[in-house]
mmCIF file of all heavy atoms in Angstrom:
data_model
loop_
_atom_site.group_PDB
_atom_site.id
_atom_site.type_symbol
_atom_site.label_atom_id
_atom_site.label_comp_id
_atom_site.label_asym_id
_atom_site.label_seq_id
_atom_site.Cartn_x
_atom_site.Cartn_y
_atom_site.Cartn_z
ATOM 1 N N SER A 231 38.007 -20.073 6.829
ATOM 2 C CA SER A 231 36.542 -20.028 6.710
ATOM 3 C C SER A 231 35.947 -21.182 7.509
ATOM 4 O O SER A 231 36.652 -22.127 7.872
ATOM 5 C CB SER A 231 36.147 -20.159 5.232
ATOM 6 O OG SER A 231 36.393 -21.487 4.773
ATOM 7 N N PRO A 232 34.650 -21.150 7.780
ATOM 8 C CA PRO A 232 34.045 -22.277 8.498
ATOM 9 C C PRO A 232 34.277 -23.621 7.796
ATOM 10 O O PRO A 232 34.650 -24.605 8.435
ATOM 11 C CB PRO A 232 32.558 -21.913 8.553
ATOM 12 C CG PRO A 232 32.561 -20.400 8.535
ATOM 13 C CD PRO A 232 33.701 -20.039 7.600
ATOM 14 N N LEU A 233 34.087 -23.664 6.488
ATOM 15 C CA LEU A 233 34.334 -24.894 5.738
ATOM 16 C C LEU A 233 35.818 -25.258 5.778
ATOM 17 O O LEU A 233 36.185 -26.414 5.979
ATOM 18 C CB LEU A 233 33.859 -24.757 4.288
ATOM 19 C CG LEU A 233 34.129 -25.959 3.374
ATOM 20 C CD1 LEU A 233 33.450 -27.210 3.919
ATOM 21 C CD2 LEU A 233 33.651 -25.646 1.961
ATOM 22 N N GLY A 234 36.676 -24.255 5.605
ATOM 23 C CA GLY A 234 38.120 -24.487 5.634
ATOM 24 C C GLY A 234 38.589 -25.048 6.963
ATOM 25 O O GLY A 234 39.381 -25.994 7.013
ATOM 26 N N ARG A 235 38.109 -24.474 8.057
ATOM 27 C CA ARG A 235 38.513 -24.965 9.388
ATOM 28 C C ARG A 235 38.076 -26.408 9.593
ATOM 29 O O ARG A 235 38.824 -27.220 10.141
ATOM 30 C CB ARG A 235 37.951 -24.059 10.485
ATOM 31 C CG ARG A 235 38.605 -22.687 10.525
ATOM 32 C CD ARG A 235 38.229 -21.894 11.768
ATOM 33 N NE ARG A 235 36.813 -21.858 12.070
ATOM 34 C CZ ARG A 235 35.957 -20.924 11.636
ATOM 35 N NH1 ARG A 235 36.401 -19.936 10.872
ATOM 36 N NH2 ARG A 235 34.691 -20.958 11.984
ATOM 37 N N ALA A 236 36.874 -26.752 9.145
ATOM 38 C CA ALA A 236 36.395 -28.132 9.280
ATOM 39 C C ALA A 236 37.265 -29.083 8.459
ATOM 40 O O ALA A 236 37.626 -30.169 8.930
ATOM 41 C CB ALA A 236 34.936 -28.226 8.848
ATOM 42 N N LEU A 237 37.618 -28.684 7.248
ATOM 43 C CA LEU A 237 38.461 -29.522 6.394
ATOM 44 C C LEU A 237 39.860 -29.658 6.977
ATOM 45 O O LEU A 237 40.404 -30.759 7.054
ATOM 46 C CB LEU A 237 38.531 -28.953 4.976
ATOM 47 C CG LEU A 237 39.458 -29.713 4.017
ATOM 48 C CD1 LEU A 237 38.983 -31.147 3.825
ATOM 49 C CD2 LEU A 237 39.554 -28.977 2.694
ATOM 50 N N VAL A 238 40.466 -28.543 7.382
ATOM 51 C CA VAL A 238 41.808 -28.578 7.978
ATOM 52 C C VAL A 238 41.817 -29.504 9.190
ATOM 53 O O VAL A 238 42.708 -30.350 9.330
ATOM 54 C CB VAL A 238 42.297 -27.158 8.357
ATOM 55 C CG1 VAL A 238 43.529 -27.217 9.238
ATOM 56 C CG2 VAL A 238 42.569 -26.341 7.100
ATOM 57 N N SER A 239 40.836 -29.383 10.036
ATOM 58 C CA SER A 239 40.739 -30.221 11.227
ATOM 59 C C SER A 239 40.671 -31.703 10.849
ATOM 60 O O SER A 239 41.369 -32.540 11.427
ATOM 61 C CB SER A 239 39.516 -29.812 12.046
ATOM 62 O OG SER A 239 39.404 -30.602 13.199
ATOM 63 N N ALA A 240 39.841 -32.030 9.877
ATOM 64 C CA ALA A 240 39.701 -33.421 9.438
ATOM 65 C C ALA A 240 41.007 -33.946 8.829
ATOM 66 O O ALA A 240 41.408 -35.084 9.092
ATOM 67 C CB ALA A 240 38.562 -33.546 8.431
ATOM 68 N N LEU A 241 41.671 -33.130 8.031
ATOM 69 C CA LEU A 241 42.933 -33.546 7.413
ATOM 70 C C LEU A 241 44.021 -33.771 8.458
ATOM 71 O O LEU A 241 44.778 -34.738 8.384
ATOM 72 C CB LEU A 241 43.387 -32.501 6.387
ATOM 73 C CG LEU A 241 42.560 -32.411 5.108
ATOM 74 C CD1 LEU A 241 42.914 -31.144 4.333
ATOM 75 C CD2 LEU A 241 42.746 -33.652 4.248
ATOM 76 N N VAL A 242 44.092 -32.888 9.443
ATOM 77 C CA VAL A 242 45.092 -33.015 10.514
ATOM 78 C C VAL A 242 44.816 -34.274 11.336
ATOM 79 O O VAL A 242 45.741 -35.008 11.686
ATOM 80 C CB VAL A 242 45.123 -31.749 11.399
ATOM 81 C CG1 VAL A 242 45.940 -31.979 12.663
ATOM 82 C CG2 VAL A 242 45.685 -30.567 10.606
ATOM 83 N N ARG A 243 43.553 -34.536 11.642
ATOM 84 C CA ARG A 243 43.199 -35.751 12.393
ATOM 85 C C ARG A 243 43.646 -37.013 11.668
ATOM 86 O O ARG A 243 43.903 -38.030 12.292
ATOM 87 C CB ARG A 243 41.683 -35.817 12.645
ATOM 88 C CG ARG A 243 41.226 -34.983 13.817
ATOM 89 C CD ARG A 243 39.798 -35.342 14.256
ATOM 90 N NE ARG A 243 38.838 -35.446 13.175
ATOM 91 C CZ ARG A 243 38.119 -34.430 12.687
ATOM 92 N NH1 ARG A 243 38.269 -33.220 13.187
ATOM 93 N NH2 ARG A 243 37.248 -34.636 11.719
ATOM 94 N N ARG A 244 43.745 -36.931 10.363
ATOM 95 C CA ARG A 244 44.187 -38.076 9.562
ATOM 96 C C ARG A 244 45.704 -38.041 9.320
ATOM 97 O O ARG A 244 46.206 -38.698 8.415
ATOM 98 C CB ARG A 244 43.423 -38.110 8.252
ATOM 99 C CG ARG A 244 41.973 -38.515 8.437
ATOM 100 C CD ARG A 244 41.144 -38.284 7.190
ATOM 101 N NE ARG A 244 39.766 -38.702 7.352
ATOM 102 C CZ ARG A 244 38.819 -38.024 7.989
ATOM 103 N NH1 ARG A 244 39.103 -36.873 8.559
ATOM 104 N NH2 ARG A 244 37.597 -38.475 8.074
ATOM 105 N N ASN A 245 46.404 -37.266 10.131
ATOM 106 C CA ASN A 245 47.874 -37.172 10.122
ATOM 107 C C ASN A 245 48.466 -36.550 8.860
ATOM 108 O O ASN A 245 49.621 -36.803 8.534
ATOM 109 C CB ASN A 245 48.518 -38.535 10.377
ATOM 110 C CG ASN A 245 48.218 -39.037 11.758
ATOM 111 O OD1 ASN A 245 48.184 -38.249 12.706
ATOM 112 N ND2 ASN A 245 47.972 -40.320 11.880
ATOM 113 N N ASN A 246 47.696 -35.743 8.154
ATOM 114 C CA ASN A 246 48.240 -35.013 7.011
ATOM 115 C C ASN A 246 48.939 -33.756 7.505
ATOM 116 O O ASN A 246 48.525 -33.156 8.493
ATOM 117 C CB ASN A 246 47.119 -34.630 6.041
ATOM 118 C CG ASN A 246 46.505 -35.847 5.401
ATOM 119 O OD1 ASN A 246 47.118 -36.494 4.574
ATOM 120 N ND2 ASN A 246 45.285 -36.182 5.809
ATOM 121 N N ALA A 247 49.982 -33.360 6.820
ATOM 122 C CA ALA A 247 50.642 -32.085 7.077
ATOM 123 C C ALA A 247 49.886 -31.041 6.260
ATOM 124 O O ALA A 247 49.889 -31.103 5.026
ATOM 125 C CB ALA A 247 52.102 -32.148 6.665
ATOM 126 N N VAL A 248 49.228 -30.114 6.927
ATOM 127 C CA VAL A 248 48.354 -29.164 6.247
ATOM 128 C C VAL A 248 48.968 -27.772 6.254
ATOM 129 O O VAL A 248 49.426 -27.293 7.289
ATOM 130 C CB VAL A 248 46.958 -29.129 6.901
ATOM 131 C CG1 VAL A 248 46.054 -28.114 6.204
ATOM 132 C CG2 VAL A 248 46.322 -30.515 6.886
ATOM 133 N N VAL A 249 48.956 -27.139 5.086
ATOM 134 C CA VAL A 249 49.361 -25.746 4.935
ATOM 135 C C VAL A 249 48.085 -24.972 4.654
ATOM 136 O O VAL A 249 47.405 -25.229 3.657
ATOM 137 C CB VAL A 249 50.359 -25.567 3.769
ATOM 138 C CG1 VAL A 249 50.745 -24.108 3.611
ATOM 139 C CG2 VAL A 249 51.585 -26.446 3.965
ATOM 140 N N GLY A 250 47.730 -24.051 5.551
ATOM 141 C CA GLY A 250 46.483 -23.305 5.411
ATOM 142 C C GLY A 250 46.726 -21.874 4.971
ATOM 143 O O GLY A 250 47.393 -21.111 5.663
ATOM 144 N N LEU A 251 46.205 -21.510 3.803
ATOM 145 C CA LEU A 251 46.315 -20.144 3.293
ATOM 146 C C LEU A 251 45.222 -19.291 3.927
ATOM 147 O O LEU A 251 44.032 -19.614 3.826
ATOM 148 C CB LEU A 251 46.180 -20.123 1.777
ATOM 149 C CG LEU A 251 46.333 -18.752 1.122
ATOM 150 C CD1 LEU A 251 47.773 -18.246 1.248
ATOM 151 C CD2 LEU A 251 45.925 -18.800 -0.342
ATOM 152 N N VAL A 252 45.632 -18.231 4.612
ATOM 153 C CA VAL A 252 44.705 -17.304 5.264
ATOM 154 C C VAL A 252 45.023 -15.883 4.815
ATOM 155 O O VAL A 252 46.151 -15.581 4.454
ATOM 156 C CB VAL A 252 44.776 -17.420 6.805
ATOM 157 C CG1 VAL A 252 44.367 -18.817 7.257
ATOM 158 C CG2 VAL A 252 46.149 -17.088 7.333
ATOM 159 N N ARG A 253 44.023 -15.003 4.847
ATOM 160 C CA ARG A 253 44.240 -13.607 4.438
ATOM 161 C C ARG A 253 44.567 -12.699 5.600
ATOM 162 O O ARG A 253 45.167 -11.650 5.421
ATOM 163 C CB ARG A 253 42.994 -13.055 3.731
ATOM 164 C CG ARG A 253 42.810 -13.593 2.344
ATOM 165 C CD ARG A 253 41.676 -12.916 1.591
ATOM 166 N NE ARG A 253 40.423 -12.918 2.343
ATOM 167 C CZ ARG A 253 39.725 -11.821 2.637
ATOM 168 N NH1 ARG A 253 40.137 -10.646 2.266
ATOM 169 N NH2 ARG A 253 38.592 -11.909 3.313
ATOM 170 N N ARG A 254 44.131 -13.062 6.785
ATOM 171 C CA ARG A 254 44.276 -12.167 7.933
ATOM 172 C C ARG A 254 45.116 -12.808 9.029
ATOM 173 O O ARG A 254 45.179 -14.030 9.161
ATOM 174 C CB ARG A 254 42.902 -11.825 8.497
ATOM 175 C CG ARG A 254 42.036 -11.071 7.512
ATOM 176 C CD ARG A 254 40.685 -10.715 8.142
ATOM 177 N NE ARG A 254 39.833 -10.061 7.178
ATOM 178 C CZ ARG A 254 38.904 -10.681 6.462
ATOM 179 N NH1 ARG A 254 38.697 -11.972 6.609
ATOM 180 N NH2 ARG A 254 38.166 -10.007 5.599
ATOM 181 N N VAL A 255 45.689 -11.973 9.875
ATOM 182 C CA VAL A 255 46.523 -12.429 10.983
ATOM 183 C C VAL A 255 45.726 -13.337 11.927
ATOM 184 O O VAL A 255 46.260 -14.305 12.468
ATOM 185 C CB VAL A 255 47.131 -11.224 11.738
ATOM 186 C CG1 VAL A 255 47.879 -11.667 12.969
ATOM 187 C CG2 VAL A 255 48.049 -10.433 10.809
ATOM 188 N N ALA A 256 44.437 -13.062 12.110
ATOM 189 C CA ALA A 256 43.609 -13.901 12.988
ATOM 190 C C ALA A 256 43.591 -15.354 12.514
ATOM 191 O O ALA A 256 43.493 -16.277 13.323
ATOM 192 C CB ALA A 256 42.189 -13.349 13.053
ATOM 193 N N GLY A 257 43.697 -15.552 11.226
ATOM 194 C CA GLY A 257 43.707 -16.904 10.674
ATOM 195 C C GLY A 257 44.947 -17.690 11.048
ATOM 196 O O GLY A 257 44.918 -18.923 11.108
ATOM 197 N N VAL A 258 46.043 -16.989 11.319
ATOM 198 C CA VAL A 258 47.292 -17.650 11.716
ATOM 199 C C VAL A 258 47.078 -18.425 13.010
ATOM 200 O O VAL A 258 47.425 -19.605 13.117
ATOM 201 C CB VAL A 258 48.437 -16.626 11.853
ATOM 202 C CG1 VAL A 258 49.668 -17.261 12.482
ATOM 203 C CG2 VAL A 258 48.782 -16.027 10.487
ATOM 204 N N ALA A 259 46.492 -17.780 14.000
ATOM 205 C CA ALA A 259 46.229 -18.444 15.282
ATOM 206 C C ALA A 259 45.269 -19.615 15.102
ATOM 207 O O ALA A 259 45.443 -20.664 15.723
ATOM 208 C CB ALA A 259 45.672 -17.444 16.291
ATOM 209 N N GLN A 260 44.271 -19.447 14.249
ATOM 210 C CA GLN A 260 43.326 -20.535 13.997
ATOM 211 C C GLN A 260 44.041 -21.754 13.421
ATOM 212 O O GLN A 260 43.796 -22.885 13.846
ATOM 213 C CB GLN A 260 42.222 -20.083 13.036
ATOM 214 C CG GLN A 260 41.260 -19.102 13.633
ATOM 215 C CD GLN A 260 40.248 -18.614 12.620
ATOM 216 O OE1 GLN A 260 40.479 -18.627 11.414
ATOM 217 N NE2 GLN A 260 39.102 -18.168 13.116
ATOM 218 N N MET A 261 44.923 -21.523 12.445
ATOM 219 C CA MET A 261 45.644 -22.634 11.821
ATOM 220 C C MET A 261 46.549 -23.330 12.831
ATOM 221 O O MET A 261 46.598 -24.555 12.894
ATOM 222 C CB MET A 261 46.468 -22.160 10.619
ATOM 223 C CG MET A 261 45.640 -21.739 9.413
ATOM 224 S SD MET A 261 44.506 -23.009 8.826
ATOM 225 C CE MET A 261 42.950 -22.472 9.529
ATOM 226 N N ARG A 262 47.250 -22.543 13.626
ATOM 227 C CA ARG A 262 48.133 -23.142 14.638
ATOM 228 C C ARG A 262 47.326 -23.959 15.639
ATOM 229 O O ARG A 262 47.734 -25.042 16.035
ATOM 230 C CB ARG A 262 48.949 -22.062 15.324
ATOM 231 C CG ARG A 262 50.022 -21.508 14.415
ATOM 232 C CD ARG A 262 50.950 -20.557 15.135
ATOM 233 N NE ARG A 262 51.977 -20.080 14.210
ATOM 234 C CZ ARG A 262 52.397 -18.844 14.141
ATOM 235 N NH1 ARG A 262 51.914 -17.919 14.966
ATOM 236 N NH2 ARG A 262 53.323 -18.494 13.272
ATOM 237 N N HIS A 263 46.180 -23.442 16.054
ATOM 238 C CA HIS A 263 45.312 -24.147 16.995
ATOM 239 C C HIS A 263 44.845 -25.492 16.411
ATOM 240 O O HIS A 263 44.710 -26.478 17.135
ATOM 241 C CB HIS A 263 44.108 -23.278 17.364
ATOM 242 C CG HIS A 263 43.124 -23.962 18.241
ATOM 243 N ND1 HIS A 263 43.346 -24.193 19.587
ATOM 244 C CD2 HIS A 263 41.908 -24.484 17.965
ATOM 245 C CE1 HIS A 263 42.317 -24.835 20.092
ATOM 246 N NE2 HIS A 263 41.426 -25.020 19.134
ATOM 247 N N LEU A 264 44.621 -25.528 15.108
ATOM 248 C CA LEU A 264 44.169 -26.753 14.443
ATOM 249 C C LEU A 264 45.313 -27.710 14.111
ATOM 250 O O LEU A 264 45.078 -28.834 13.687
ATOM 251 C CB LEU A 264 43.401 -26.405 13.163
ATOM 252 C CG LEU A 264 42.079 -25.676 13.359
ATOM 253 C CD1 LEU A 264 41.511 -25.234 12.022
ATOM 254 C CD2 LEU A 264 41.087 -26.559 14.103
ATOM 255 N N GLY A 265 46.550 -27.234 14.279
ATOM 256 C CA GLY A 265 47.703 -28.084 13.978
ATOM 257 C C GLY A 265 48.207 -27.966 12.555
ATOM 258 O O GLY A 265 48.935 -28.836 12.069
ATOM 259 N N ALA A 266 47.841 -26.887 11.873
ATOM 260 C CA ALA A 266 48.265 -26.656 10.491
ATOM 261 C C ALA A 266 49.329 -25.566 10.438
ATOM 262 O O ALA A 266 49.459 -24.757 11.359
ATOM 263 C CB ALA A 266 47.070 -26.246 9.636
ATOM 264 N N GLU A 267 50.066 -25.545 9.359
ATOM 265 C CA GLU A 267 51.064 -24.501 9.102
ATOM 266 C C GLU A 267 50.356 -23.325 8.428
ATOM 267 O O GLU A 267 49.834 -23.478 7.324
ATOM 268 C CB GLU A 267 52.152 -25.051 8.182
ATOM 269 C CG GLU A 267 53.154 -24.040 7.737
ATOM 270 C CD GLU A 267 54.100 -24.582 6.675
ATOM 271 O OE1 GLU A 267 54.263 -25.812 6.568
ATOM 272 O OE2 GLU A 267 54.670 -23.755 5.931
ATOM 273 N N PRO A 268 50.310 -22.165 9.064
ATOM 274 C CA PRO A 268 49.627 -21.023 8.452
ATOM 275 C C PRO A 268 50.514 -20.287 7.449
ATOM 276 O O PRO A 268 51.723 -20.166 7.646
ATOM 277 C CB PRO A 268 49.319 -20.124 9.651
ATOM 278 C CG PRO A 268 50.385 -20.436 10.639
ATOM 279 C CD PRO A 268 50.774 -21.867 10.425
ATOM 280 N N VAL A 269 49.885 -19.817 6.393
ATOM 281 C CA VAL A 269 50.546 -18.973 5.405
ATOM 282 C C VAL A 269 49.602 -17.818 5.116
ATOM 283 O O VAL A 269 48.447 -18.042 4.748
ATOM 284 C CB VAL A 269 50.852 -19.740 4.095
ATOM 285 C CG1 VAL A 269 51.375 -18.802 3.030
ATOM 286 C CG2 VAL A 269 51.828 -20.868 4.344
ATOM 287 N N ILE A 270 50.079 -16.595 5.307
ATOM 288 C CA ILE A 270 49.262 -15.426 4.986
ATOM 289 C C ILE A 270 49.467 -15.103 3.510
ATOM 290 O O ILE A 270 50.604 -15.014 3.037
ATOM 291 C CB ILE A 270 49.643 -14.214 5.849
ATOM 292 C CG1 ILE A 270 49.322 -14.493 7.320
ATOM 293 C CG2 ILE A 270 48.896 -12.959 5.385
ATOM 294 C CD1 ILE A 270 49.725 -13.381 8.265
ATOM 295 N N GLY A 271 48.364 -14.945 2.799
ATOM 296 C CA GLY A 271 48.473 -14.631 1.381
ATOM 297 C C GLY A 271 47.111 -14.350 0.779
ATOM 298 O O GLY A 271 46.087 -14.378 1.458
ATOM 299 N N ASP A 272 47.123 -14.086 -0.500
ATOM 300 C CA ASP A 272 45.928 -13.719 -1.249
ATOM 301 C C ASP A 272 45.938 -14.537 -2.535
ATOM 302 O O ASP A 272 46.944 -14.547 -3.252
ATOM 303 C CB ASP A 272 45.980 -12.213 -1.557
ATOM 304 C CG ASP A 272 44.708 -11.688 -2.167
ATOM 305 O OD1 ASP A 272 44.097 -12.391 -3.008
ATOM 306 O OD2 ASP A 272 44.322 -10.558 -1.839
ATOM 307 N N VAL A 273 44.835 -15.220 -2.819
ATOM 308 C CA VAL A 273 44.778 -16.056 -4.018
ATOM 309 C C VAL A 273 44.972 -15.257 -5.300
ATOM 310 O O VAL A 273 45.314 -15.821 -6.333
ATOM 311 C CB VAL A 273 43.461 -16.873 -4.102
ATOM 312 C CG1 VAL A 273 43.375 -17.890 -2.984
ATOM 313 C CG2 VAL A 273 42.240 -15.978 -4.143
ATOM 314 N N ARG A 274 44.797 -13.944 -5.232
ATOM 315 C CA ARG A 274 44.995 -13.102 -6.415
ATOM 316 C C ARG A 274 46.461 -12.782 -6.662
ATOM 317 O O ARG A 274 46.787 -12.160 -7.667
ATOM 318 C CB ARG A 274 44.210 -11.795 -6.261
ATOM 319 C CG ARG A 274 42.702 -12.015 -6.180
ATOM 320 C CD ARG A 274 41.979 -10.757 -5.851
ATOM 321 N NE ARG A 274 42.262 -10.388 -4.465
ATOM 322 C CZ ARG A 274 41.698 -9.374 -3.823
ATOM 323 N NH1 ARG A 274 40.827 -8.614 -4.465
ATOM 324 N NH2 ARG A 274 41.986 -9.113 -2.577
ATOM 325 N N ARG A 275 47.339 -13.211 -5.753
ATOM 326 C CA ARG A 275 48.766 -12.914 -5.867
ATOM 327 C C ARG A 275 49.548 -14.224 -5.929
ATOM 328 O O ARG A 275 49.970 -14.747 -4.897
ATOM 329 C CB ARG A 275 49.208 -12.063 -4.699
ATOM 330 C CG ARG A 275 48.566 -10.688 -4.714
ATOM 331 C CD ARG A 275 49.133 -9.797 -3.621
ATOM 332 N NE ARG A 275 48.883 -8.401 -3.856
ATOM 333 C CZ ARG A 275 47.693 -7.805 -3.817
ATOM 334 N NH1 ARG A 275 46.622 -8.510 -3.594
ATOM 335 N NH2 ARG A 275 47.568 -6.513 -4.012
ATOM 336 N N PRO A 276 49.739 -14.751 -7.139
ATOM 337 C CA PRO A 276 50.396 -16.058 -7.279
ATOM 338 C C PRO A 276 51.789 -16.109 -6.665
ATOM 339 O O PRO A 276 52.219 -17.150 -6.184
ATOM 340 C CB PRO A 276 50.437 -16.311 -8.778
ATOM 341 C CG PRO A 276 50.038 -15.042 -9.429
ATOM 342 C CD PRO A 276 49.356 -14.181 -8.415
ATOM 343 N N GLU A 277 52.473 -14.986 -6.616
ATOM 344 C CA GLU A 277 53.818 -14.978 -6.030
ATOM 345 C C GLU A 277 53.783 -15.315 -4.542
ATOM 346 O O GLU A 277 54.776 -15.800 -3.989
ATOM 347 C CB GLU A 277 54.518 -13.632 -6.266
ATOM 348 C CG GLU A 277 53.936 -12.439 -5.526
ATOM 349 C CD GLU A 277 52.700 -11.792 -6.155
ATOM 350 O OE1 GLU A 277 52.221 -12.275 -7.201
ATOM 351 O OE2 GLU A 277 52.219 -10.789 -5.595
#
C-alpha cells in the first residue's frame, strides 16, 4: 500500500531486514525494489 511502501522504505534505509506481506504478485516486485523480502499471503490465513 502507499503507507506500507513508505514505511518499508524508511525501515530499509535504517538497515532493518524487512519482510513485506503482499496479496498480489505485483507487490513482490515492489518489495524487491525497496530492498525487502516479499511474502505473498492474506492476513485472513494465519497459516
Side-chain angles (χ1 to χ4, degrees):
S231 71
L233 177 59
R235 290 191 312 269
L237 177 62
V238 167
S239 180
L241 289 167
V242 168
R243 279 194 313 272
R244 288 169 178 78
N245 295 322
N246 294 289
V248 179
V249 179
L251 182 68
V252 298
R253 286 187 308 124
R254 297 182 183 97
V255 174
V258 171
Q260 289 176 336
M261 290 304 100
R262 288 187 179 138
H263 176 74
L264 294 173
E267 174 188 338
V269 173
I270 295 177
D272 188 321
V273 294
R274 297 172 290 185
R275 294 186 161 68
E277 68 279 1

